[in-house]
Amino acid sequence: MTVRVGVIGAGMIGQDHIRRLTDVVTGAAVTAVTDIDQARAAEVAATVGAVALPSGAELIASPEVDAVLVTSWGPTHAEHVLGAIAAGKPVFCEKPLATTAQDCLRIVDAERALGRRLVQVGFMRRFDAGYRQMKEVIAAGSLGTPLIVHCAHRNPTVPDSYTSAMAAQDTAVHEIDVLRWLLDDEIVSAQVITPRATGMRFEHLKDPQLMYFETANGVRIELEVFVNCQYGYDIQCETVGEKGLVRLPDPAAVGVRTAGAHDTAVPQDWKGRFADAFDTEFREWINGIAAGVEPTGPSAWDGYAATVITDAAVRSLESDSQVVTVDMKPRPAFYGGTA
């Protein structure tokens, strides 16, 4: 079958996913598009033979839409995801699931009341080949019990609109999700420390930031977030166990030797670094819908957990680096917990 997808939000990420669903993923067709800028929605829809609709509610209700992709402005996510659940349609929501923990819980409660999973959240790192290999190594037990994780998330630059809180909410949130998944463990506290600031930042921004997390099982996580590093988009992750360690590989790139130097290219943005992960993420989502099975990617509960943990990190940043306890509800059995 062909899964007919309606897309809410025709900005940069929405257009990139429309291209992916049209040109890369088989078994999918974008049939409807909406955006707060209706002219842009019409223009984007025309490129793929879709219809432009005036609102997310009308798109969700359309009989020509089997599944919904939400790539609109973050504060609108909860409304659209709840609408898709009420309509009984699978919904893929780019992060954040919602901008408040309360709205995330409304989504969790709606999905639990329905009795089946419809929501997948766009944390693409779980679909990256390197992270999946790390997951296999850790799960196999050859490293022994995980003890420490060292991570870095570096961007070459960020715009003036980027705020200090966004280091947790928009940047570190990807590590927060993928580390919960890698370790099969929950983060229970957060601390953010600001070292000497780079002179390459906008004056209002605290950059870099060092984030420290502790898990329920006592694993210590150290994450450097440096969003004005200048040299490239650099993602690092190393898990140290009792008997060894596993390290995320750098993206494959040829080495060039010339003029007395050996150079290897560094990715310059997230789209290049995680292109294959995005493709795999959507391929598996569409295949699951076509097969009539519930999504296996990041759940509404994972979206809630990420929001609560980033909230704790922001509180630490704003309270002179105090250690902040993560105020998370018990995980329901519906999402693999015991509550």
Side-chain angles (χ1 to χ4, degrees):
M1 63 172 289
T2 296
V3 178
R4 300 170 299 174
V5 181
V7 180
I8 302 175
M12 179 186 67
I13 188 68
Q15 290 182 44
D16 194 45
H17 288 339
I18 288 170
R19 175 199 59 79
R20 183 167 285 108
L21 289 168
T22 303
D23 298 337
V24 178
V25 176
T26 59
V30 175
T31 54
V33 178
T34 190
D35 191 89
I36 191 170
D37 183 340
Q38 294 189 16
R40 179 168 62 186
E43 180 181 352
V44 172
T47 65
V48 292
V51 62
L53 294 174
S55 71
E58 290 178 70
L59 181 144
I60 291 167
S62 171
E64 300 303 314
V65 169
D66 302 315
V68 179
L69 169 59
V70 178
T71 55
S72 53
W73 186 44
T76 69
H77 286 189
E79 170 193 352
H80 299 314
V81 173
L82 287 167
I85 293 171
K89 295 185 178 182
V91 54
F92 184 108
C93 182
E94 270 300 344
K95 61 89 178 169
L97 175 63
T99 52
T100 69
Q102 182 178 5
D103 277 346
C104 288
L105 286 175
R106 289 174 59 210
I107 292 169
V108 165
D109 290 344
E111 192 174 48
R112 291 176 66 194
L114 184 70
R116 59 191 175 96
R117 275 194 58 188
L118 290 177
V119 179
Q120 180 164 321
V121 184
F123 290 121
M124 76 294 188
R125 294 207 187 171
R126 298 192 189 195
F127 301 87
D128 176 74
Y131 278 112
R132 285 187 162 185
Q133 290 168 15
M134 288 185 71
K135 174 77 168 175
E136 291 173 0
V137 170
I138 294 169
S142 60
L143 304 180
T145 301
L147 306 173
I148 306 166
V149 181
H150 304 284
C151 297
H153 188 145
R154 305 184 182 114
N155 288 33
T157 60
V158 290
D160 188 24
S161 58
Y162 190 97
T163 67
S164 296
M166 290 171 68
Q169 295 166 338
D170 281 20
T171 301
V173 66
H174 286 289
E175 274 79 16
I176 286 168
D177 176 75
V178 82
L179 291 176
R180 292 177 58 250
W181 172 74
L182 275 178
L183 299 171
D184 193 22
D185 199 355
E186 199 53 84
I187 292 172
V188 297
S189 72
Q191 182 183 27
V192 179
I193 295 174
T194 54
R196 180 179 181 177
T198 173
M200 308 301 290
R201 78 197 193 286
F202 289 104
E203 189 62 30
H204 68 271
L205 183 61
K206 294 178 180 179
D207 185 47
Q209 296 180 26
L210 296 176
M211 302 184 182
Y212 297 93
F213 303 100
E214 184 176 6
T215 74
N217 290 328
V219 179
R220 291 286 186 169
I221 298 166
E222 173 192 57
L223 168 60
E224 171 202 325
V225 176
F226 187 11
V227 295
N228 288 282
C229 78
Q230 305 300 306
Y231 69 86
Y233 182 77
D234 190 6
I235 304 299
Q236 301 291 327
C237 184
E238 177 182 272
T239 299
V240 181
E242 295 172 311
K243 296 185 288 185
L245 63 83
V246 59
R247 180 180 295 126
L248 185 71
D250 283 327
V254 297
V256 178
R257 299 189 184 201
T258 183
H262 184 175
D263 296 327
T264 303
V266 177
Q268 292 301 296
D269 59 37
W270 53 269
K271 288 190 291 185
R273 170 62 178 83
F274 288 111
D276 289 344
F278 279 116
D279 292 348
T280 301
E281 174 184 48
F282 276 92
R283 189 174 294 114
E284 292 186 8
W285 181 60
I286 291 296
N287 289 345
I289 295 170
V293 299
E294 294 184 3
T296 57
S299 67
W301 183 260
D302 294 316
Y304 161 71
T307 297
V308 173
I309 296 164
T310 57
D311 284 350
V314 172
R315 288 201 302 276
S316 177
L317 175 68
E318 294 174 347
S319 63
D320 297 325
S321 301
Q322 292 183 20
V323 176
V324 175
T325 299
V326 175
D327 183 20
M328 190 180 303
K329 304 289 186 184
R331 185 200 295 252
F334 183 81
Y335 297 104
T338 58

